[in-house]
Amino acid sequence: MSTTLAYAAQNPQAPMAPFEIQRRAVGPDDVKIDILYCGVCHSDLHTARNEWKNTLYPSVPGHEIIGKVVAVGANVSAFKVGDVAGVGCMVDSCSHCASCAEGLEQYCENGFTGTYNGPVFGGENTHGGYSDNIVVDQKFVLRIRHADNLAAVAPLLCAGITTYSPLRQWKVGPGQKVGVVGLGGLGHMAVKIASAMGAHVVLFTTSPNKRADALRLGAAEVVVSKNAEEMAAHVNSFDFILNTVAAPHPLDPFLALLKRDATMTLVGAPESPHPSPDVFGLIFKRRRIAGSLIGGIAETQEMLDFCAEHGIVSDIEMIPIQSINQAYERMLRSDVKYRFVIDMASLK
Ligand code: NAP
Ligand code: ZN
């Protein structure tokens, strides 16, 4: 075991503050990573404040981790000391259920272990990337092929894969009109990735001042979702919509924009449910609502390689760990341009 500096929430009301955690000794299949950068996901905030009612305290969030390998176990050949490596939202799964066998560890039927707040299904708590280092089984360590700008690569480990996976699952590509709802951490990655896949991307926002940014990030059109007239111009026209909003909101105005048989996939995970959809809106067009959870390890590697090939990184605002509480407040005001990333050197 080694004592490691971290930032933790001690209870739902407490601000994030310095805390010491223990990391396990490096086992034969483990990779130890000194953390350089960690992205700030809205899930970190949901968890730190117990909004999903399952937080184990003390809670050290962070699942968009980029760092340098500083030690490897005897069985590890894919990583060596000095490599840049990534860790995303999971650090373990059962590895023998049907989902794990298909490389869909995020749907592990025995419950995957999250990078933080891991043992929702039992076991010891896990601590995430708001810390100096992490020890992870090699199966859950990702290879980083981006040559530089590593801080901006960190958000791919959650925001990137959470949007890439449903875009692939619903076969987004050229000739399709694809909506992205919400221009935050996930939304801005969805805009970049869906446009790189060749789709005609329409960004829906509640923040009219994000219009120019959305176009710069790759959207072909921007719709202010509170403007009924702008929304009406798109009725029955979308092949797919990816909804990334972190707060409960009416889904019907977006469902009405889907073509017959088209799908809106929800990835946002708000504290309380969305108002129920209008069933007539669904049945008269055989429209679908779906959900999607992060992505498996193989698909996360595929996404990282896709982004490296297409020159895609996140648009980030770098912060020292000491500013994390202010960053959370700005995230709640939709004032993120477009992902906070913690420079972990500030912890030392
Ligand atoms: P974020 O950076 O805070 O972005 C959320 C965006 O939603 C905001 O920037 C805002 O965009 C929009 N929004 C916020 N409040 C709204 C409201 N009341 N009505 C309409 N739009 C609103 O959050 P994030 O990190 O992208 O995460 C988004 C959600 O996905 C969170 O709930 C997070 O926990 C969840 N998540 C899920 C998965 C998964 O596997 N399914 C993985 C990671 C995260 P505009 O200003 O453009 O409107
Ligand atoms: Zn996340």
Side-chain angles (χ1 to χ4, degrees), residues 29-332:
D29 291 302
D30 283 341
V31 177
K32 183 170 187 173
I33 297 167
D34 262 5
I35 301 174
L36 297 170
Y37 306 107
C38 184
V40 178
C41 180
H42 207 112
S43 302
D44 301 355
L45 188 161
H46 290 308
T47 302
R49 299 188 177 177
N50 196 26
E51 292 181 358
W52 295 330
K53 309 287 179 272
N54 66 0
T55 304
L56 303 165
Y57 291 98
S59 174
V60 178
H63 57 201
E64 295 183 337
I65 297 168
I66 293 280
K68 276 243 157 76
V69 175
V70 290
V72 296
N75 299 339
V76 177
S77 54
F79 295 92
K80 59 178 190 320
V81 170
D83 284 353
V84 173
V87 178
C89 305
M90 299 180 285
V91 291
D92 207 359
S93 72
C94 86
S95 79
H96 54 72
C97 72
S99 295
C100 285
E102 279 186 67
L104 298 170
E105 299 89 354
Q106 76 275 34
Y107 303 116
C108 174
E109 282 138 50
N110 296 301
F112 71 86
T113 304
T115 303
Y116 59 82
N117 209 49
V120 178
F121 308 92
E124 247 180 62
N125 197 7
T126 51
H127 294 309
Y130 297 7
S131 63
D132 195 39
N133 61 67
I134 191 164
V135 180
V136 179
D137 186 296
Q138 58 176 334
K139 289 201 292 274
F140 291 83
V141 179
L142 283 308
R143 188 158 289 291
I144 304 300
R145 298 204 161 83
H146 290 77
D148 50 18
N149 211 358
L150 293 177
V153 175
L156 302 183
L157 275 312
C158 174
I161 184 58
T162 301
T163 51
Y164 181 91
S165 184
L167 292 169
R168 273 275 180 264
Q169 175 70 22
W170 278 273
K171 301 187 170 44
V172 162
Q176 288 188 343
K177 184 173 171 185
V178 171
V180 173
V181 188
L183 196 66
L186 268 54
H188 94 290
M189 290 312 310
V191 168
K192 290 186 183 210
I193 294 170
S195 59
M197 289 173 172
H200 178 95
V201 178
V202 181
L203 185 274
F204 296 93
T205 183
T206 58
S207 311
N209 61 358
K210 293 182 183 172
R211 190 183 287 272
D213 280 348
L215 295 171
R216 175 179 59 77
L217 294 166
E221 299 178 62
V222 179
V223 172
V224 175
S225 52
K226 288 172 178 163
N227 181 325
E229 225 170 86
E230 278 189 51
M231 292 288 277
H234 292 273
V235 166
N236 295 333
S237 68
F238 280 86
D239 297 288
F240 181 68
I241 297 178
L242 185 59
N243 187 325
T244 74
V245 173
H249 64 284
L251 302 180
D252 295 332
F254 298 107
L255 291 168
L257 308 188
L258 294 172
K259 288 178 178 169
R260 174 176 54 76
D261 286 322
T263 300
M264 174 161 79
T265 293
L266 308 177
V267 287
E271 182 177 8
S272 50
H274 298 297
S276 296
D278 166 21
V279 79
F280 290 95
L282 290 177
I283 63 182
F284 274 83
K285 291 271 179 204
R286 204 158 58 184
R287 294 173 173 130
R288 304 169 213 194
I289 301 180
S292 185
L293 178 66
I294 49 175
I297 293 298
E299 194 174 45
T300 304
Q301 190 62 64
E302 179 188 307
M303 173 279 308
L304 285 165
D305 297 348
F306 175 91
C307 289
E309 195 181 309
H310 288 82
I312 295 174
V313 292
S314 175
D315 278 33
I316 66 162
E317 182 174 338
M318 189 103 89
I319 57 164
I321 186 92
Q322 292 77 9
S323 299
I324 186 66
N325 295 302
Q326 294 92 305
Y328 279 2
E329 292 312 312
R330 283 184 53 194
M331 190 147 72
L332 286 172

